Amino acid sequence: MESLSDTLWDVVISGTGLQQSLLALAISRSDKKILHIDPNEFYGGAEAAFSLQDAESWVARVSAASGGLFKSASIQTPEGTTGLTSSRAYSLALAPKLIHARSALLSQLVSSRAYRQVEFLAVGSFYIFKPSQDSPQQATLARIPSTREEVFLTTAVSTKGKRLLMKFLKFVLDYESPSQLEIWQSHADAPLTDLLQQEFKMDAELQTYIVTLTLSLDGKTSTRDGLAVIRRHLSSMGVYGPGFAIIYPKWGGLSEIAQVSCRAGAVGGTVYMLGTDIKEMETAENEIKLQLTSGDTVKTRMLVRADDSPSDGTGISRLVAVISSPLNSLFQAVVEGAPRPAVAVIAFPAGSLSTAAGKASQCPVYLSAHSSETGECPVGQSVLYLTTLSTPDAKEVLQQALDAFVGVTSDGHPTSQVLYQLQYEQLVGADTFGVEGPVFTLPGLSSSLSFSDSALEPVHEAWRKVMGDAAVDEEYLIFTDREGAMDDDDVYE
């Protein structure tokens, strides 16, 4: 085998985030020579999942770095708490995303045969946190009905409200038809709440139910975007089984898909090097010379990398907590024959929380509760991922949301303890695919809570660039079975 320096690589891919890993997989069954490197000692990039020890090392690196997509990272282990087990018993996702069953990502995992190495779990109910004006101990969680059956069965909505919800659900499923366009087109760029109030006569509570399903971090999603998201949610219901529309990859979310893609890519011939960054780059007419931190000098026809510089957009604040409760009441199947869900989503609407100074929360807070079935924590514990838009009060608001959630799920008995907290800010990356000659730059990390298929478009475009005249769109990520290719569990580094 030729050495790294003696080989003229067709493409060098830097970073093992989801997009780069899918790209390497897409190219891997061609005759291209692919070198896939990552400056980190782990797979997944900004979408990685960490053990407790790895999270501590990551926080130290973020604190020492002067740039990048993450900042203000810290770990807190409350005094007097016990219950944390070995570091490797945890797999905490940096950027967990929910995946709708109708996502093109799932179709590509199936067509590439990579899906066989990923275990997906059902995301169950969506809840709204309802504070009590009389006492914090009387706060409640109300389940959002998002199917006909749930609307009929819920006791949290009045008879009139049920009729309005049924009317809206029927409308959304057919909202792009000519007969429905005239209802919403004049509201297309206005907030979705305007349509709900003016055309469907919904009160503020019903509007909150609907807007929560969009997973909008500012609560101000437009009618055009909001209808598309809710339509995807409703059309995803029942695709992979009754009672759920969204799935989540076991063992750390998108990080697991990235690792599976890398393993399959390695079987297809891609060479992997972790802990290796680009130190210097020199571009000639027909090739790029890269000086790597490993000491190797490699030549390549093309370079693909990710944009890890923040854009001017607003970032988000995250809080990851491990608690000493299995939260069994949240992970119940609500439809007969449905699998037991491993994830539940709780929304804290804007204004439902307040700071110590009495200032109401400006933006919604979303809490994604994960049971031990996700493989992210030991049995008997749960992992909570809390997210809100970055504001001066965001850190305090996230803490208030965590405390309120623990209180409302303890039935007045302080049996749940917060065992561990990881807090950080995630900056939004650039959202464009960059091309500078033979150097291609994939967009940075988005702030959305659900996976958007728009993230797959630059991967497809980069594949076209690398494949050149050999690119046939109808064959993109469509592979036939190859003996042993998907049964190889080796880690390629």
Side-chain angles (χ1 to χ4, degrees):
M1 180 179 177
E2 292 180 291
S3 69
L4 294 177
S5 299
D6 292 336
T7 302
L8 175 58
W9 301 93
D10 290 293
V11 60
V12 171
I13 302 174
S14 178
T16 56
L18 179 68
Q19 290 179 317
Q20 300 102 303
S21 301
L22 288 174
L23 176 61
L25 173 60
I27 304 169
S28 65
R29 291 205 185 182
S30 68
D31 58 356
K32 303 290 185 183
K33 295 180 179 179
I34 311 160
L35 176 62
H36 199 168
I37 64 176
D38 195 311
N40 300 305
E41 296 289 349
F42 52 83
Y43 290 94
E47 294 131 338
F50 293 142
S51 67
L52 300 185
Q53 184 176 350
D54 291 338
E56 187 173 344
S57 299
W58 178 79
V59 167
R61 288 195 299 273
V62 170
S63 300
S66 58
L69 294 176
F70 297 97
K71 67 176 185 177
S72 304
S74 63
I75 292 174
Q76 179 182 352
T77 305
E79 293 184 9
T81 59
T82 59
L84 288 179
T85 61
S86 66
S87 171
R88 292 291 171 187
Y90 301 87
S91 182
L92 308 180
L94 274 184
K97 289 186 184 292
L98 307 175
I99 306 174
H100 281 88
R102 291 289 186 187
S103 172
L105 173 62
L106 300 180
S107 299
Q108 292 181 2
L109 293 177
V110 170
S111 67
S112 67
R113 303 298 190 263
Y115 74 99
R116 293 172 178 165
Q117 295 286 316
V118 187
E119 183 177 348
F120 291 101
L121 305 168
V123 175
S125 298
F126 279 57
Y127 295 86
I128 293 286
F129 173 78
K130 290 186 173 183
S132 171
Q133 295 183 350
D134 299 326
S135 169
Q137 286 72 32
Q138 296 178 8
T140 59
L141 298 180
R143 181 183 286 113
I144 300 175
S146 56
T147 65
R148 289 174 178 269
E149 293 80 4
E150 288 182 301
V151 172
F152 282 125
L153 292 174
T154 184
T155 58
V157 180
S158 67
T159 301
K160 178 182 178 182
K162 290 182 179 183
R163 288 197 300 269
L164 295 177
L165 282 175
M166 290 298 296
K167 179 181 178 182
F168 179 75
L169 293 179
K170 183 179 179 181
F171 159 78
V172 170
L173 288 172
D174 195 37
Y175 83 98
E176 291 181 307
S177 68
S179 61
Q180 306 288 27
L181 284 174
E182 60 185 46
I183 296 177
W184 66 271
Q185 275 198 321
S186 61
H187 302 277
D189 297 319
L192 177 60
T193 51
D194 288 3
L195 175 76
L196 299 178
Q197 179 180 9
Q198 297 175 28
E199 300 295 339
F200 292 90
K201 312 304 179 185
M202 290 186 180
D203 60 21
E205 183 172 346
L206 287 181
Q207 292 175 36
T208 299
Y209 281 16
I210 298 298
V211 172
T212 294
L213 293 178
T214 69
L215 297 173
S216 169
L217 284 170
D218 63 5
K220 300 175 183 177
T221 186
S222 70
T223 294
R224 178 185 289 106
D225 294 340
L227 292 179
V229 172
I230 296 173
R231 169 69 169 77
R232 180 177 62 169
H233 183 89
L234 296 180
S235 64
S236 293
M237 190 68 68
V239 170
Y240 293 112
F244 65 97
I246 299 174
I247 59 178
Y248 183 80
K250 190 173 182 178
W251 308 115
L254 295 183
S255 172
E256 183 67 8
I257 297 179
Q259 290 192 60
V260 163
S261 298
C262 289
R263 288 200 292 269
V267 172
T270 302
V271 175
Y272 281 84
M273 294 179 64
L274 295 183
T276 304
D277 200 359
I278 298 173
K279 188 176 181 180
E280 295 180 9
M281 180 175 69
E282 179 183 338
T283 303
E285 184 175 352
N286 297 315
E287 64 182 38
I288 305 170
K289 183 182 293 186
L290 302 174
Q291 180 69 41
L292 305 181
T293 53
S294 62
D296 298 291
T297 299
V298 300
K299 293 173 289 185
T300 179
R301 292 186 174 92
M302 300 178 190
L303 170 66
V304 180
R305 58 191 179 186
D307 190 341
D308 60 357
S309 59
S311 68
D312 295 331
T314 302
I316 58 177
S317 293
R318 292 189 183 271
L319 171 60
V320 183
V322 178
I323 65 170
S324 62
S325 170
L327 299 175
N328 289 327
S329 62
L330 291 182
F331 305 121
Q332 300 294 327
V334 295
V335 176
E336 185 176 355
R340 179 181 173 87
V343 177
V345 180
I346 297 88
F348 296 77
S352 63
L353 301 164
S354 59
T355 65
K359 184 178 179 181
S361 53
Q362 303 174 41
C363 305
V365 174
Y366 282 91
L367 184 155
S368 186
H370 294 209
S371 76
S372 61
E373 290 297 316
T374 61
E376 296 174 345
C377 64
V379 174
Q381 300 178 9
S382 302
V383 178
L384 310 178
Y385 297 97
L386 295 92
T387 309
T388 191
L389 286 180
S390 293
T391 65
D393 302 317
K395 185 174 182 179
E396 182 179 357
V397 168
L398 289 176
Q399 188 65 55
Q400 293 286 349
L402 174 60
D403 294 342
F405 175 80
V406 171
V408 78
T409 54
S410 297
D411 290 329
H413 302 288
T415 55
S416 297
Q417 285 186 314
V418 177
L419 306 176
Y420 176 93
Q421 293 183 206
L422 167 64
Q423 196 151 17
Y424 53 96
E425 288 187 46
Q426 173 194 320
L427 305 177
V428 178
D431 60 359
T432 57
F433 175 61
V435 178
E436 295 183 18
V439 180
F440 314 123
T441 304
L442 297 169
L445 192 62
S446 75
S447 61
S448 61
L449 298 178
S450 62
F451 183 81
S452 173
D453 286 341
S454 62
L456 301 175
E457 295 169 5
V459 179
H460 197 168
E461 183 60 28
W463 173 82
R464 291 192 188 102
K465 297 285 188 183
V466 173
M467 295 299 295
D469 294 339
V472 179
D473 283 344
E474 290 75 16
E475 299 176 359
Y476 176 65
L477 275 173
I478 299 177
F479 301 149
T480 57
D481 282 327
R482 183 171 53 191
E483 185 177 355
M486 291 304 163
D487 298 323
D488 198 327
D489 291 326
D490 292 340
V491 177
Y492 295 83
E493 300 186 8

